[in-house]
């Protein structure tokens, strides 16, 4: 039984030493995992400015390096998205301004066309008035031409009568000298 006790104590010591050795070995791994957990929590909250520093060449250190690279890539993508978003806002603002100017130009063009239409209507009315006045003047000229022809005819007749009157006057004058 003493041999059994000795084996039992050796087993307990082996398990104890194994546990202590495991604790000593696993403690740095747990510390690295806790650092990773804290880092990932910051990422989950949107903090892409932080970095994680885990030294070594094991898988956890490689994972930390890759997480840092991923964070830089995400940060760069977010910056690009932010710049594109600002550009989109600027472009949208420009488009709204262009739309306002286009609307204003369209309104001004519409008003100008209405003014031109009113001007054309007024021009048409004035042209119609001028045509009526021209027709009236044409009739007056026709009447004047008629009166001028009548005046010429009267002038010829008056000239003829005047000539006859002068001949009679000469005859009377010659007759009066004889008597």
């Amino acid at each position: 039984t003493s041999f059994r006790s000795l084996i039992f104590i050796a087993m307990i010591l082996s398990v104890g030493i194994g546990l202590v050795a495991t604790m000593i070995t696993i403690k740095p791994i747990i510390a690295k995992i806790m650092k990773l957990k804290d880092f990932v929590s910051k990422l989950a909250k949107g903090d892409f400015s932080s970095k994680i520093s885990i030294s070594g060449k094991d898988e956890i250190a490689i994972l930390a390096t890759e997480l840092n690279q991923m964070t830089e890539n995400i940060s760069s993508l977010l910056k690009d998205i932010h710049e594109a978003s600002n550009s989109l806002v600027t472009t949208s603002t420009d488009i709204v301004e262009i739309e306002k100017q286009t609307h204003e130009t369209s309104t001004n063009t519409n008003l100008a066309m209405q003014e031109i239409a009113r001007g054309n209507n007024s021009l048409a009315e004035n042209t119609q008035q001028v045509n009526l006045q021209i027709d009236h003047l044409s009739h007056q000229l026709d009447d004047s031409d008629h009166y001028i022809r009548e005046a010429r005819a009267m002038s010829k007749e008056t000239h003829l009568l005047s000539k006859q009157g002068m001949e009679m006057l000469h005859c009377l004058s010659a007759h009066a000298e004889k008597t």
Side-chain angles (χ1 to χ4, degrees):
T1 62
S2 74
F3 180 68
R4 280 187 179 180
S5 294
L6 205 59
I7 288 180
F8 182 71
I9 291 175
M11 277 181 28
I12 290 186
L13 278 176
S14 292
V15 170
I17 292 172
L19 283 176
V20 170
T22 301
M23 290 298 280
I24 290 172
T25 306
I26 208 164
K27 186 173 182 182
I29 294 172
I30 290 175
K32 290 178 181 181
I33 291 174
M34 292 307 290
K35 272 183 153 181
L36 279 174
K37 179 192 143 309
D38 291 342
F39 179 70
V40 171
S41 290
K42 287 179 181 179
L43 292 178
K45 292 177 184 172
D47 180 7
F48 294 101
S49 64
S50 61
K51 299 274 184 216
I52 186 167
S53 176
I54 297 178
S55 59
K57 294 185 179 184
D58 60 0
E59 287 79 9
I60 294 176
I62 293 170
L63 180 63
T65 302
E66 290 178 358
L67 279 173
N68 283 333
Q69 183 61 46
M70 182 185 77
T71 302
E72 286 178 25
N73 291 344
I74 290 173
S75 200
S76 177
L77 287 172
L78 287 175
K79 181 182 173 191
D80 291 347
I81 289 170
H82 184 22
E83 289 173 0
S85 177
N86 285 341
S87 177
L88 184 61
V89 167
T90 300
T91 302
S92 294
T93 302
D94 292 347
I95 289 171
V96 166
E97 187 60 33
I98 289 169
E99 187 277 329
K100 285 179 184 177
Q101 291 173 356
T102 302
H103 179 72
E104 185 177 328
T105 301
S106 175
T107 300
N108 289 340
T109 302
N110 187 23
L111 291 173
M113 290 184 77
Q114 289 175 358
E115 189 64 31
I116 289 170
R118 281 193 291 272
N120 283 341
N121 287 342
S122 176
L123 183 61
E125 289 172 4
N126 289 341
T127 302
Q128 193 174 23
Q129 287 295 325
V130 167
N131 283 338
L132 290 174
Q133 289 174 352
I134 288 172
D135 283 346
H136 181 69
L137 284 174
S138 177
H139 288 302
Q140 285 180 338
L141 285 173
D142 288 343
D143 289 346
S144 294
D145 186 48
H146 175 71
Y147 293 137
I148 288 172
R149 279 194 217 121
E150 283 182 7
R152 275 189 192 147
M154 282 186 202
S155 175
K156 282 181 183 178
E157 198 175 313
T158 303
H159 179 67
L160 186 62
L161 287 174
S162 192
K163 204 175 183 184
Q164 287 175 356
M166 286 301 278
E167 285 175 9
M168 278 186 146
L169 202 74
H170 280 301
C171 277
L172 283 174
S173 188
H175 196 286
E177 281 182 16
K178 285 186 188 177
T179 42

